[in-house]
Amino acid sequence: MMSKQTRQVSQEQIAHQWDCINQIQHLLSVRADAPHFYCQTFGCQQNEADTERIAGMLREMGYEPTDDPKNANVIVVNTCAVREHAEKRVLGIMGQYTHLKEENDDLTICMCGCMVQQEHMAEKIKKSYPRVDIVFGTHALWRFPELLLRRLSGSKRIFDISGDDRGEISEGLPVLRGQGCHAWLSIMYGCNNFCTYCIVPYVRGRERSRKPEDIEREFRELIAEGYKDITLLGQNVNSYGKDLGLGVDFADLLARLDKVPGEYRIRFMTSHPKDASDKLFETMANGTHISHQLHLPFQSGSDEILKRMNRHYDAAHYRSLIQSAREKMPDLVLSSDIIVGFPGETEEDFQKTLEMVRFGQYDILYTFLYSKRSGTPAAEMPDSATKEEKQDRFDRLLAEQETINAARQEAYQDRIVRVLIDGTSNSKQPTDHPLTGRTDGGLLVMCRGDGLKLGEFADVRIERTSLRALYGVEVGNG
Ligand code: SAH
Ligand code: SF4
Ligand code: F3S
C-alpha cells in the first residue's frame, strides 16, 4: 500500500543544512581567491533540476560557478542509470576528473544521483575510484551541505545512499537556475509504476508530490523573476497529488497555476498513458498559458509487450488518448518514447510499433535500444532477437520517423507562429537566422528580424523548414 501522507524533511533538519552552509561560508572566507564549483549532469530533466539545487547550495556557501573543471575546487557529477551507456559515460568522465587531483589537492570530487543510489555502483566507486570524496544518492540530496562540511572538516570519504524508498520532500533550500527564460519546476519525485525494464523506481523511490501551495509559491517567484517558459517535472505527472489526499489532481494543479497573471508558457513532462485523462486535455485546451505540447511515451505498439512491460494500457487505449487530445487541440505537438528490442520482442510486435508511429504522427520521437538493468524484472526475461536484428529494427524505426518528421515540419511552411526568443544560434557557419525561438508546442525555430529580442515573444513567418528546425522571419520584416 502507498503511504497516505508524504513526509517532509523537518524544519530543524533544513535549518541544520543552512547552518552547515554558513559554516562552509565561514571556512571559505579566509581564502584569498574565490573558490569555484563545476557541475556536470547526466540523464533527464529531473536530474538537471536536482543539479540546480546543488548549485544553489554551493553558491550560498560562497563558491562561484565555472565552466572549466580545471578551475574548480568542488566538482559534482550528477549521474544517471537509465541505460548502460549512461553509466559507462559517467565512469569514463570520473577517470578524467580524478586525474585533476594530481595537480590540485584542493579539489573535492562528489558523485550523486541515480547511478550511485544503486548499492553495487556505490561499492564500485568505493573500490575503484579512491579519489572520489563524497558519494550521495537521490534521497540524500538535501543533506549535501552537511556532507560537504564533514569532508572539508577532515572526515574520511563519505558514502551516503541511505534513505528509505518512500523518500521525503525538502522545501526551503536554495536553487541556482540557468540563465535565460526557461525554468524547470519539480512538482513531484519518484515513481510507483515499476515498468519492468526501468531502474527509476529503484533509484528514486516512491511517488511523492510537493504541496500545491509550495509549487504555486515557487511558480510565482519564477514569473516575478522573469522566467517565461516553465516546465513542470515529474516521472509521471498525471498521478500528481494521489499521495497528498487533498483531492487535487494534476489537471487541478495546472488550472491553478494557469491563473497566475503574466505572459509565459507552462509545459510538463512526463505523462503516463495509463493516467492521462480527458480532463487533462480539456484543461490544456482551455488554458491561457498551457502549451499544447504532450510527451506521451507508448514504448511499444504491441499489447503483448506492453503487458510484459507492466504498462497498464493497451494500444487501443493509447490511440483513443491521442485521438481525444488532437480533437481538443488540433495544433498539438506530440512526442513519445519507444524502446526497441525489449526481451522477446518479435518482428510482428515491432511491426505494431511501426503502425503506432504512423498513427501517432509524432513531431519528435525518442527511440532507445533496450538496455538490461540489473535488479529489474525484464533483466530475467528470456530474449530471442539478436543484436543485429534489434539494430535493424531500430534503423527502420528511425527511417519511418524521418519521413513523418519531414512532412510535419514542412506543414509549417508559410505559417505564422508565436515564438519565445530564447537564445542565439550556436552554428559555426555564418547564419542569417542568428536567434533561436520555441513555438508554443516547443518546436525549435531559427529566427531573424531586427525587432526580435531575447526573452520576448514575437510572431514569425516560417520561410523554410528542415528536419532539425524551422526557419522564421519576424512578421513585418521581409
Ligand atoms: N517516467 C518517464 C520516463 C523515464 S525514463 C516515462 O515513464 O515516460 C525515459 C525513457 O527511457 C523511458 O520512457 C524509456 O523509453 C527509456 N528507458 C527506460 N528504461 C530503459 C531501458 N532499460 N532500456 C532502454 N530504454 C529505457
Ligand atoms: Fe520508469 Fe515506467 Fe516510472 Fe517512467 S513510469 S520512470 S518508465 S517505471
Ligand atoms: Fe536517469 Fe535518474 Fe533521470 S536514471 S533518466 S537521471 S530519473
Side-chain angles (χ1 to χ4, degrees), residues 297-355:
F298 70 85
Q299 313 295 0
S300 167
S302 151
D303 289 346
E304 180 52 38
I305 296 288
L306 286 172
K307 207 176 283 160
R308 274 191 269 144
M309 286 178 163
N310 192 32
R311 290 288 289 181
H312 294 286
Y313 56 85
D314 60 16
H317 178 68
Y318 183 85
R319 281 196 177 88
S320 71
L321 286 175
I322 298 185
Q323 229 152 11
S324 166
R326 286 215 193 273
E327 266 162 33
K328 294 180 179 64
M329 294 172 281
D331 59 345
L332 183 72
V333 168
L334 186 65
S335 57
S336 191
D337 293 348
I338 298 176
I339 296 177
V340 174
F342 184 79
E345 182 191 73
T346 62
E347 177 61 26
E348 208 184 339
D349 293 318
F350 174 68
Q351 285 300 330
K352 290 180 180 151
T353 294
L354 283 183
E355 274 167 35

Side-chain angles (χ1 to χ4, degrees), residues 14 60 208:
I14 296 294
E60 289 291 329
R208 50 216 189 269

